Amino acid sequence: RCQYNNMADEPTMKTLRNGVRCLTGEEICEDCRHRPLDTITSFHFTNCQKPWWCLALNHTNTTKQICRGMHHEWNRLRYKLEHQWNV
């Protein structure tokens, strides 16, 4: 969940009895927003929004940090690809 298809989302959800449950159903939740960028294989831009939309990031500091990192990485790879294609 954090290495593949990382969504920078909240790892837990509240239950009806005021408890908290891990979204993956595991006992211990990894907060994917704290995963080092170089350990993420693929990223899903739903919560961070698409980098080409150039939207302001109105998230918590934790989410904003990984979103900015992923937007930067996406733009870096796009620039590299355009350079290889001589665009």
Side-chain angles (χ1 to χ4, degrees):
R1 177 180 187 301
C2 293
Q3 180 179 356
Y4 300 99
N5 203 34
N6 188 317
M7 290 180 56
D9 57 344
E10 184 73 35
T12 58
M13 65 182 293
K14 294 180 180 176
T15 64
L16 293 175
R17 293 192 167 102
N18 294 327
V20 175
R21 167 173 90 80
C22 185
L23 290 175
T24 62
E26 300 168 314
E27 276 300 311
I28 300 173
C29 292
E30 178 183 0
D31 190 338
C32 298
R33 298 170 298 176
H34 295 291
R35 174 64 80 109
L37 297 180
D38 60 351
T39 66
I40 298 172
T41 302
S42 62
F43 194 81
H44 191 116
F45 285 106
T46 294
N47 292 322
C48 292
Q49 299 304 315
K50 312 315 183 243
W52 53 90
W53 287 353
C54 302
L55 298 174
L57 296 173
N58 297 319
H59 297 293
T60 63
N61 287 339
T62 303
T63 304
K64 190 182 295 185
Q65 190 173 17
I66 193 170
C67 289
R68 283 190 175 158
M70 283 290 118
H71 284 178
H72 175 78
E73 182 64 11
W74 184 88
N75 282 296
R76 186 188 69 77
L77 290 172
R78 180 185 167 119
Y79 176 80
K80 183 178 177 182
L81 183 63
E82 287 177 357
H83 185 49
Q84 288 175 346
W85 288 352
N86 293 319
V87 177

